[in-house]
Amino acid sequence: MRSPDRIDPILTKLGALWRANPDLRLTQLVVTLADTGETMPGFLYTEDSVIDEALDRRIADR
C-alpha cells in the first residue's frame, strides 16, 4: 500500500502552482506536469514521485 503521507505535500504544491497559473484547467496543469512522452495509458501510471518532482521544478521556475 502506498503511504497516504505523500498526499498533503503534493496537494500543497499543486495548489501553489495552480494559484500561480489560474487560467489553466486542472487537467492542463496535471498533463504538463506529467510530460513523460508517453501515450495516455502510460500517463495513467505515472508515479506520484514524478509529479512531485515536476511540481518542484515548476515552482522553482516561477
Side-chain angles (χ1 to χ4, degrees):
M1 180 176 179
R2 295 175 193 272
S3 171
D5 294 338
R6 75 190 192 289
I7 296 171
D8 287 337
I10 290 175
L11 288 177
T12 298
K13 292 176 188 178
L14 182 61
L17 188 59
W18 200 2
R19 281 183 200 85
N21 298 277
D23 291 333
L24 291 178
R25 293 177 187 89
L26 177 59
T27 52
Q28 290 173 313
L29 184 60
V30 171
V31 166
T32 60
L33 289 171
D35 184 15
T36 61
E38 296 188 32
T39 60
M40 186 54 80
F43 170 75
L44 294 177
Y45 298 102
T46 301
E47 290 294 330
D48 295 337
S49 60
V50 172
I51 299 295
D52 191 31
E53 291 168 6
L55 282 163
D56 286 339
R57 285 192 304 276
R58 291 289 296 270
I59 289 169
D61 290 343
R62 286 194 285 156

